[in-house]
């Protein structure tokens, strides 16, 4: 079974940058899409970005386009999320998750389509 561990969460000022990493172990050959989700207090978990492990094609939520960059290594052991020009509304617990198929336009941001999840890392954007 795939196991994921997120790291890199921190307190950062608005306008700042932060990089998150997700280390993947276990049956890495069993997933072809990996995504970052986030959840703020009192809000539902939302998809941030997804990347196809084979092609490297990314998909982003409209709220982070132009600011965040998702990446992965070809051996499928690491996925990263570079966050730039952070805003207070980016605050939340960030999770990485994998799914057995690539990032589909209609399902990439649906929690139920992902089978393995990390425990999350906290990102706080505040002055």
């Amino acid at each position: 079974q795939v196991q994921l561990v997120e790291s890199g969460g921190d307190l950062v000022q608005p306008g700042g940058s932060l990089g998150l990493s997700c280390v993947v172990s276990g049956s890495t050959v069993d997933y072809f899409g990996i995504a970052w989700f986030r959840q703020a207090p009192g809000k539902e978990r939302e998809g941030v970005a997804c990347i196809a492990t084979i092609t490297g094609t990314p998909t982003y939520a409209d709220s982070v386009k132009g600011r965040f960059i998702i990446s992965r290594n070809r051996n499928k052991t690491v996925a990263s999320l570079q966050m730039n020009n952070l805003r207070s509304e980016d605050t939340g617990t960030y999770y990485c998750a994998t799914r057995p198929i690539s990032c589909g336009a209609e399902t990439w941001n649906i929690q139920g389509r992902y089978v393995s999840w990390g425990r999350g890392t906290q990102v706080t954007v505040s002055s």
Side-chain angles (χ1 to χ4, degrees):
Q1 186 65 44
V2 174
Q3 299 174 46
L4 304 91
V5 179
E6 304 94 337
S7 64
D10 206 349
L11 171 65
V12 61
Q13 295 184 345
S17 298
L18 191 65
L20 305 181
S21 293
C22 175
V23 176
V24 184
S25 61
S27 301
T28 57
V29 296
D30 294 337
Y31 83 89
F32 294 91
I34 186 164
W36 286 94
F37 284 75
R38 68 186 180 190
Q39 186 168 22
K43 296 184 178 180
E44 295 185 350
R45 190 171 300 182
E46 63 177 349
V48 177
C50 185
I51 189 166
T53 59
I54 300 300
T55 65
T57 302
T59 302
Y60 298 97
D62 288 341
S63 61
V64 306
K65 285 182 179 178
R67 299 190 298 122
F68 291 10
I69 301 172
I70 188 171
S71 62
R72 91 287 183 253
N73 62 357
R74 294 290 292 272
N75 63 13
K76 306 169 68 173
T77 57
V78 178
S80 300
L81 184 69
Q82 178 62 44
M83 305 182 292
N84 302 308
N85 192 24
L86 285 162
R87 307 165 180 169
S88 59
E89 54 263 41
D90 293 319
T91 293
T93 301
Y94 283 68
Y95 304 86
C96 60
T98 61
R99 62 192 246 160
I101 61 174
S102 190
C103 309
E106 298 181 359
T107 64
W108 76 269
N109 60 347
I110 300 176
Q111 290 180 255
R113 299 296 191 271
Y114 293 81
V115 297
S116 298
W117 292 81
R119 293 183 181 276
T121 185
Q122 180 66 37
V123 174
T124 302
V125 184
S126 177
S127 60

